[in-house]
């Protein structure tokens, strides 16, 4: 059993990660902190509340975090990917979200004390909240078991620019702060999340399940449409749930060297790119001495099928 705090910008694939965390017997979900990203932070919090309620976990604390990037720049959201409401047009506008009185930073710090040494932080949005928590308490890494980030691309192409992945591109300065902090960190980037694909075949299996499965199937329609327009194939990356799965052992990694990762924080064309210093012969990439960032390059296949089974069977 892994004790997890999820930092989310609840969008469609975040919703699948939240459902998986709530439903898996292997995971104790102790809190969700919400960050801007796919949608504005208030809508992200509403979506997080709706999804947790649907999963029967309305008691998990949800705290609202940063509304925009660390630099103070105007936030850019992703309605073209996740819909204006972040849930593919399926969000329940009448829902009254149940939110904690504390901020995302306060919740993260409190849980890091309550679960000192045991808390796995899984961050699947821009890293603004985590960087702010490090500002507030530089000793935070001493109490965190591990940080897993959905973000970046070591060798894969980017998804918001030729080289940059969305979560890192949204806030490169925050990502660099999080990479610099002295905690163990695993990067689950597009190199692997674009090998865990959700298709209409999965949607059909979800639709044949209960309320949770039907909800997942419905929100995925718009997401698959976006991928079809972008890639020519109706198959979406299972980004955020795969990061959760790596963090909690729901999927085994088969190639994940420990190397150093840096973020391009320039204003040039590769702003937001993660530069992973992979060494050695092509494809072997040994661990680099003194390095601290595990970069997942391959996972065992089949997690998306098990996730669909979990959601459809709930
Ligand atoms: C990441 O960007 C967001 O749109 C998704 O929710 C995911 O966290 C994929 O690049
Ligand atoms: Ca996300």
């Amino acid at each position: 059993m892994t004790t997890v705090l999820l930092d989310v910008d609840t969008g469609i694939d975040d919703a699948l990660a939240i459902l998986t965390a709530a439903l898996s017997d292997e995971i104790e979900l102790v809190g969700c902190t919400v960050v801007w990203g796919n949608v504005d932070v208030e809508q992200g919090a509403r979506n997080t509340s709706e999804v947790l309620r649907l999963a029967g976990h309305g008691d998990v604390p949800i705290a609202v975090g940063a509304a925009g990037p660390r630099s103070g720049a105007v936030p850019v959201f992703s309605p073209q990917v996740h819909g204006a409401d972040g849930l593919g047009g399926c969000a329940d506008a009448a829902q009254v979200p149940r939110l904690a009185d504390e901020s995302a930073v306060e919740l993260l710090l409190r849980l890091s004390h309550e679960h000192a040494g045991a808390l796995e932080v899984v961050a699947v949005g821009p890293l603004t909240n985590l960087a702010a928590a490090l500002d507030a308490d530089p000793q935070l890494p001493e109490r965190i078991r591990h940080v897993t980030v959905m973000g970046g691309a070591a060798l894969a192409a980017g998804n918001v620019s030729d080289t940059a992945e969305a979560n890192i591109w949204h806030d490169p300065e925050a990502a660099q702060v999080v990479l610099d902090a002295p905690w163990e960190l695993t990067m689950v980037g597009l190199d692997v999340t674009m090998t865990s694909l959700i298709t209409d075949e999965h949607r059909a299996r979800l639709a044949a399940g209960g309320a949770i499965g039907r909800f997942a199937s419905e929100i995925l329609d718009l997401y698959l449409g976006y991928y079809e327009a972008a890639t020519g194939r109706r198959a979406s990356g299972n980004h955020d749930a795969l990061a959760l799965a790596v963090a909690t052992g729901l999927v085994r990694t088969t190639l994940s060297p420990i190397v150093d990762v840096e973020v391009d924080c320039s204003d040039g064309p590769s702003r937001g790119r993660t530069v992973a210093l992979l060494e050695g012969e092509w494809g072997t990439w040994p661990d680099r001495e003194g390095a601290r960032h595990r970069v997942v390059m391959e996972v065992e296949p089949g997690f998306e099928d098990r996730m669909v089974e979990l959601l459809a069977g709930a």
Side-chain angles (χ1 to χ4, degrees):
M1 175 81 87
T2 310
T3 305
V4 169
L5 176 137
L6 263 177
D7 187 67
V8 287
D9 60 332
T10 308
I12 294 168
D13 62 321
D14 304 70
L16 299 182
I18 294 168
L19 290 171
T20 304
L23 297 175
S24 170
D25 293 339
E26 306 294 317
I27 298 172
E28 182 197 16
L29 180 62
V30 293
C32 285
T33 49
V34 186
V35 67
W36 74 285
N38 291 323
V39 284
D40 67 68
V41 70
E42 285 81 18
Q43 184 63 42
R46 296 178 61 82
N47 294 347
T48 306
S49 177
E50 182 178 343
V51 172
L52 279 171
R53 273 192 183 133
L54 177 66
H57 283 242
D59 55 335
V60 171
I62 302 164
V64 178
R70 189 173 175 82
S71 65
V74 176
V76 177
F77 308 116
S78 306
Q80 72 285 9
V81 185
H82 297 268
D85 65 2
L87 292 178
C90 304
D92 177 4
Q95 184 230 177
V96 180
R98 191 199 42 76
L99 305 175
D101 293 337
E102 55 201 337
S103 69
V105 168
E106 287 166 346
L107 177 61
L108 173 48
L109 295 182
R110 178 167 68 76
L111 291 173
S112 75
H113 284 286
E114 287 177 14
H115 303 277
L119 190 64
E120 173 78 38
V121 175
V122 183
V124 298
L127 293 169
T128 325
N129 283 349
L130 265 60
L134 288 163
D135 292 342
D137 183 354
Q139 266 72 55
L140 174 65
E142 293 168 15
R143 302 189 300 277
I144 297 297
R145 185 180 91 153
H146 194 93
V147 176
T148 301
V149 169
M150 188 286 126
L155 297 176
N159 60 2
V160 280
S161 72
D162 286 351
T163 53
E165 179 281 330
N167 287 339
I168 306 298
W169 178 85
H170 272 122
D171 198 341
E173 285 77 16
Q176 188 62 61
V177 168
V178 170
L179 286 167
D180 285 343
W183 44 25
E184 279 185 30
L185 183 145
T186 296
M187 172 177 130
V188 181
L190 298 176
D191 305 277
V192 276
T193 65
M194 287 305 291
T195 68
S196 176
L197 297 176
I198 303 284
T199 64
D200 277 320
E201 203 267 315
H202 292 113
R203 284 189 63 227
R205 277 191 254 160
L206 289 163
I212 292 174
R214 288 195 299 278
F215 172 80
S217 170
E218 282 162 20
I219 64 175
L220 277 163
D221 189 24
L222 183 131
Y223 203 46
L224 264 60
Y226 165 78
Y227 275 90
E228 186 175 20
T231 69
R233 188 171 167 212
R234 232 179 115 75
S236 66
N238 192 23
H239 309 289
D240 294 351
L242 189 73
L244 173 79
V246 168
T248 57
L250 294 183
V251 72
R252 211 167 53 87
T253 62
T254 46
L255 181 61
S256 57
I258 300 175
V259 299
D260 286 315
V261 180
E262 287 174 13
V263 181
D264 184 333
C265 293
S266 74
D267 287 326
S270 56
R271 177 169 169 80
R273 175 187 181 191
T274 48
V275 180
L277 302 176
L278 298 166
E279 289 185 339
E281 288 181 44
W282 173 251
T284 58
W285 308 313
D287 292 348
R288 184 184 168 102
E289 213 179 315
R292 289 183 304 107
H293 306 135
R294 185 178 289 283
V295 178
V296 181
M297 299 301 290
E298 275 178 23
V299 295
E300 64 179 1
F303 166 68
E304 55 283 0
D305 293 316
R306 296 198 297 280
M307 181 191 82
V308 164
E309 201 177 315
L310 178 72
L311 270 51

